[in-house]
Amino acid sequence: MARDPLRTYGGLSRRYGDAVRVPFGVGRSFFLLSRPEHAERVLVAKQDNYVKAFTYRPLRAVLGDGLLTSEGETWRRHRRVVQPVFSQRHVVGFAPQMVETTEQVVRRWPDGVALDAAGELRKLTLGIVGRALFGSELGAESERTGRSLEALQRGAVAGTFLPAATAKRGVYRRVPGLAGALDHLDGMVQRVVRGSSGGELLNLLKESGEFGEAELRDEVLTLLLAGHETTAASLAWTFVLLSRYPAARERLEDEVDEVLGGREPKAEDVDQLPWTKAVLSEAMRLYPPAWTIERDALDDDDVAGVEVPAGSTLAIPPYLIHRNAEIWPNPEGFQPERFMGEQRRSRYAYLPFGGGRRICVGAGFAMLEATLVLATISRTHRLDLVPGVTVPGRAEITYRPAGPVPMRVIRR
Ligand code: HEM
């Protein structure tokens, strides 16, 4: 489980079905649940009975009291301050920076040459959160940040099933390679917090009076990491799929050409790009960057017929729900049509951003960003996977391509 959690979860659910109890140490149960009803019960209907699982302990050691890993009153306070910046009305104001940052990266691409698409997309998404939220230029740090996050994710997954001592950040500093990674991330946060240009979200966090120095750093680190790594992964998977499905790509290029007619996209265009959005949604169905969501039960519960004793851990992986063949016919197939027009399936059959009150605060930002990035790139360029290359995934905290993704850049 610690070495390859996604493969283990997948194997268990194939063998035992969509509700599996995994005997796990003395007096502790681990449930693997992959039906929409399970997600709805745990994340929404009975959310007061659940807290983020012990499996997030390593992440908490690093991100501390940021939104993603805090609980209770601390979480509530932070969410109240941060949420308004991410309201739909507000988020559209970031669109020009999203497009401009994309254009800057794309302009440097040499025609006809293969480059690492995953790395380029990370540069882009880190550049966007840095600029839009914190007024800092971070794109140039993306390579180092990428390597640091790789090291951190590996350490976090390896530490998941170790004793509670792993809740301490100091433990991670002793793992070879991790001290350097943590130092780099801390340095980046420090540069952001001390930066003179501020940026809207940073000013808001500072001025709210709700954050001590350490809490401010935790929140900035959380938003930088949660705000770029997932979007970069979903865009990387999207370009890989488009390269494999030329008809879907042509339809996307036609839509972009027709709606934009040669100019840069704006926030208002997004509603006119239904196929572009459907392609992204379908890519996130097949490859949800937040591939598993996990909770610990405070009290006994009945989760859609599964008796869950207090103290159990529940994994509700979007990856498995999104591939449940009872809900998604031809689950392995890439069919953006599923997201065109009215959708009749259960609301929790598709949950790339989670659900309930802990739903992704950046979901609207991410969808706007991914749509604008995809439209901006596709307007002028096409990315082709280098022939013969396969793109295995790696599921740690996020699910992303396991290594560089060599794609040839072609000017359209
Ligand atoms: C495609 C991109 C993204 C995906 C797939 C994604 C997915 C998720 C999911 C599934 C959760 C819930 C985790 C849980 O319940 O345990 C979450 C939470 C969160 N996400 Fe995202 N996210 C994305 C982009 C972003 C962006 C752009 C930001 C910020 C700029 C962001 C910030 C956060 C934060 C702060 C939380 C914690 C919210 C809370 O607990 O109150 N995410 N995300």
Side-chain angles (χ1 to χ4, degrees):
M1 203 117 112
R3 210 173 307 127
D4 193 343
L6 175 57
R7 218 175 92 193
T8 307
Y9 288 7
L12 287 169
S13 80
R14 263 194 307 281
R15 179 144 184 204
Y16 299 108
D18 50 25
V20 187
R21 191 177 75 80
V22 185
F24 184 79
V26 184
R28 177 154 215 161
S29 293
F30 190 95
F31 291 87
L32 181 61
L33 305 174
S34 41
R35 297 193 62 82
E37 304 87 281
H38 300 139
E40 180 164 17
R41 174 85 182 176
V42 174
L43 300 179
V44 188
K46 291 281 280 186
Q47 54 184 315
D48 288 342
N49 187 45
Y50 295 93
V51 290
K52 297 250 168 163
F54 81 92
T55 48
Y56 291 92
R57 219 160 39 202
L59 194 61
R60 188 170 295 140
V62 175
L63 297 180
D65 277 332
L67 261 183
L68 191 61
T69 44
S70 55
E71 290 284 349
E73 199 36 50
T74 307
W75 170 78
R76 224 177 303 274
R77 248 183 330 111
H78 286 218
R79 182 99 186 189
R80 234 185 344 250
V81 174
V82 171
Q83 182 146 305
V85 174
F86 290 98
S87 71
Q88 204 52 35
R89 203 165 40 88
H90 199 99
V91 151
V92 293
F94 297 127
Q97 284 163 320
M98 293 169 171
V99 173
E100 200 184 304
T101 310
T102 310
E103 290 279 3
Q104 271 173 8
V105 171
V106 170
R107 229 176 277 137
R108 281 189 234 121
W109 287 352
D111 192 23
V113 173
L115 38 74
D116 169 26
E120 292 298 302
L121 292 163
R122 178 193 294 284
K123 195 191 301 173
L124 225 157
T125 58
L126 187 60
I128 289 174
V129 284
R131 255 199 202 179
L133 302 181
F134 299 113
S136 293
E137 295 298 331
L138 301 178
E141 309 203 20
S142 70
E143 220 165 285
R144 187 79 207 283
T145 305
R147 279 202 307 276
S148 300
L149 287 182
E150 290 280 323
L152 208 69
Q153 293 212 35
R154 206 142 317 139
V157 170
T160 302
F161 297 101
L162 296 176
T166 57
K168 302 230 165 46
R169 206 176 208 252
V171 172
Y172 290 92
R173 295 195 63 86
R174 274 182 254 131
V175 177
L178 277 196
L182 287 167
D183 287 343
H184 166 70
L185 295 174
D186 289 344
M188 184 163 76
V189 168
Q190 209 159 65
R191 282 189 291 284
V192 166
V193 171
R194 298 211 178 126
S196 52
S197 49
E200 189 181 340
L201 181 57
L202 185 64
N203 293 338
L204 191 82
L205 296 180
K206 283 180 174 167
E207 285 158 15
S208 69
E210 295 279 2
F211 297 79
E213 205 176 311
E215 271 185 45
L216 181 68
R217 278 198 313 266
D218 289 349
E219 200 61 83
V220 170
L221 183 58
T222 295
L223 288 162
L224 283 178
L225 299 192
H228 91 280
E229 159 86 15
T230 39
T231 321
S234 66
L235 282 163
W237 289 122
T238 301
F239 280 106
V240 168
L241 286 162
L242 284 172
S243 180
R244 289 204 186 117
Y245 292 83
R249 182 165 68 182
E250 258 171 55
R251 186 166 170 188
L252 186 145
E253 290 169 353
D254 287 348
E255 183 178 83
V256 167
D257 292 347
E258 195 182 310
V259 172
L260 301 180
R263 63 171 171 79
E264 289 180 359
K266 301 200 261 282
E268 303 85 88
D269 296 320
V270 166
D271 284 344
Q272 310 304 318
L273 297 167
W275 181 257
T276 307
K277 282 192 285 185
V279 162
L280 280 168
S281 298
E282 175 70 344
M284 280 197 285
R285 180 186 69 79
L286 280 168
Y287 301 109
W291 68 278
T292 183
I293 294 176
E294 307 190 349
R295 297 289 188 264
D296 285 345
L298 299 173
D299 260 323
D300 297 351
D301 193 14
D302 177 327
V303 178
V306 180
E307 256 180 63
V308 169
S312 306
T313 295
L314 289 68
I316 311 160
Y319 185 97
L320 293 183
I321 296 182
H322 292 178
R323 288 171 186 245
N324 188 325
E326 272 178 45
I327 305 156
W328 300 95
N330 182 20
E332 313 285 326
F334 176 66
Q335 297 173 341
E337 297 83 2
R338 302 180 208 265
F339 291 92
M340 296 293 278
E342 199 189 328
Q343 280 140 54
R344 278 192 215 94
R345 56 189 164 258
S346 145
R347 183 154 163 217
Y348 295 96
Y350 183 66
L351 63 165
F353 295 108
R357 72 166 91 90
R358 300 302 296 253
I359 197 167
C360 177
V361 80
F365 183 100
M367 278 314 283
L368 177 70
E369 175 188 7
T371 312
L372 289 174
V373 169
L374 186 52
T376 304
I377 294 178
S378 305
R379 184 170 83 80
T380 50
H381 289 78
R382 180 180 274 183
L383 297 180
D384 265 332
L385 259 184
V386 168
V389 164
T390 53
V391 187
R394 175 173 285 143
E396 282 160 348
I397 298 170
T398 56
Y399 186 53
R400 61 199 189 286
V405 179
M407 296 190 89
R408 204 156 62 87
V409 175
I410 301 155
R411 264 204 89 83
R412 287 185 55 214

